[in-house]
């Protein structure tokens, strides 16, 4: 089976983005390098559905980039929902802020600038939904920091858990860090999880 063709097939049979999110993607493609960091329709729509199904209201995202997944999740949140999204690279701030301001869902989003391991402790309260998608080397540290603040029954989604297959051979620092987190989650009795072969691998877990 042609993996790329089947992924395109899956994308084409998944709910499309809002017009504003489509505009954000095309502006990001025109203006930013590393556009492959944007998680894309399969992951975005998975996040959106999980938020709606779970009734999540208070979301933490680690890794904003141009704001694609933040805006997609904010659109799925109820009116009184809140989403904190952490980003340290100021290069991406203009695009994300512009689109958050343009969106009706934008008032739910708080962009928190700075290194996430330093800024997350400054955000008060607990979360019922977390999307982990920032520096891979710190994945185990983010998990240790955030899991105690995830509500019982809360959901965490972790992107890039395959790291292009580098979790298998242990040859790169990032691949090893992600593999370390994958093992921590597998052995953690306080959560139940599924690792999905979607795009670059996505783990969905629920805190028991
Ligand atoms: C994969 S991208 C996020 C993509 C975004 N979630 C989406 O789906 O559109 C990862 C982002 O994490 C940011 N990042 C990396 N290290 C970080 C850190 N220590 N603190 C905060 N953000 C960080 C990067 O600058 C980058 O924008």
């Amino acid at each position: 089976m042609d993996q790329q063709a089947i992924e395109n097939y899956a994308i084409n049979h998944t709910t499309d983005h809002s017009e504003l999110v489509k505009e954000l993607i095309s502006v990001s493609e025109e203006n930013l390098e590393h556009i492959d960091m944007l998680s894309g329709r399969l992951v975005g729509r998975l996040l959106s559905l999980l938020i709606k199904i779970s009734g999540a209201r208070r979301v933490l995202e680690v890794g904003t980039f141009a704001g694609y997944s933040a805006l997609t999740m904010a659109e799925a949140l109820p009116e009184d929902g809140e989403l904190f999204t952490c980003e340290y690279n100021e290069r991406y701030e203009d695009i994300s802020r512009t689109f958050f301001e343009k969106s009706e869902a934008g008032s739910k989003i708080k962009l928190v600038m700075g290194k996430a391991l330093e800024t997350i402790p400054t955000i008060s309260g607990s979360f019922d939904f977390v999307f982990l998608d920032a520096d891979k080397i710190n994945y185990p540290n983010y998990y240790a920091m955030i899991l105690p603040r995830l509500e019982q029954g809360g959901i965490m989604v972790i992107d890039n858990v395959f790291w292009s297959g580098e979790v298998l051979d242990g040859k790169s620092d990032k691949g090893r860090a992600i593999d370390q987190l994958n093992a921590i989650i597998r052995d953690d009795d306080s959560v139940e999880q599924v690792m999905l072969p979607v795009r670059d691998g996505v783990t969905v877990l629920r805190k028991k």
Side-chain angles (χ1 to χ4, degrees):
M1 190 163 60
D2 179 339
Q3 283 303 329
Q4 190 55 58
I6 205 73
E7 181 160 326
N8 291 340
Y9 183 86
I11 291 168
N12 289 330
H13 291 79
T14 294
T15 307
D16 205 354
H17 298 118
S18 68
E19 290 307 314
L20 190 64
V21 170
K22 283 186 202 169
E23 192 186 326
L24 181 153
I25 293 170
S26 68
V27 170
S28 305
E29 283 170 347
E30 278 163 30
N31 293 284
L32 298 178
E33 293 166 5
H34 312 299
I35 191 67
D36 59 323
M37 289 207 293
L38 193 150
S39 52
R41 203 194 306 183
L42 295 182
V43 177
R45 280 296 161 189
L46 178 65
L47 293 169
S48 170
L49 273 179
L50 288 171
I51 284 177
K52 288 181 183 173
I53 292 166
S54 66
R57 307 183 95 78
R58 204 158 192 273
V59 178
L60 173 68
E61 173 178 69
V62 192
T64 315
F65 188 43
Y68 162 76
S69 46
L71 195 53
T72 301
M73 289 191 281
E75 287 177 348
L77 278 171
E79 284 299 309
D80 62 348
E82 268 184 306
L83 182 148
F84 299 85
T85 180
C86 303
E87 175 58 57
Y88 81 141
N89 194 332
E90 290 171 4
R91 215 179 321 151
Y92 307 135
E93 195 178 347
D94 267 0
I95 291 189
S96 62
R97 277 202 198 281
T98 302
F99 279 89
F100 297 161
E101 278 163 21
K102 267 187 175 186
S103 168
E104 280 179 19
S107 58
K108 300 172 203 166
I109 304 174
K110 276 106 191 150
L111 177 60
V112 183
M113 294 301 297
K115 289 187 178 167
L117 284 174
E118 291 164 17
T119 59
I120 292 167
T122 70
I123 305 168
S124 61
S126 57
F127 308 102
D128 48 20
F129 195 97
V130 174
F131 181 41
L132 185 50
D133 192 23
D135 43 332
K136 312 307 166 193
I137 212 81
N138 276 313
Y139 265 23
N141 297 329
Y142 288 125
Y143 186 75
M145 176 179 273
I146 296 167
L147 190 69
R149 299 183 59 190
L150 184 65
E151 298 265 5
Q152 197 177 358
I155 291 171
M156 189 184 301
V157 178
I158 302 154
D159 201 12
N160 308 107
V161 295
F162 297 159
W163 202 237
S164 305
E166 290 180 26
V167 287
L168 295 175
D169 60 25
K171 284 187 187 152
S172 74
D173 290 346
K174 290 178 184 174
R176 278 197 300 276
I178 297 170
D179 180 46
Q180 190 191 342
L181 176 60
N182 291 340
I184 290 169
I185 292 171
R186 179 196 58 206
D187 298 337
D188 186 346
D189 288 337
S190 74
V191 300
E192 52 192 326
Q193 77 280 356
V194 57
M195 184 180 277
L196 300 169
V198 172
R199 209 168 152 264
D200 190 28
V202 178
T203 290
V204 179
L205 69 82
R206 174 184 173 276
K207 188 168 173 181
K208 293 183 199 164

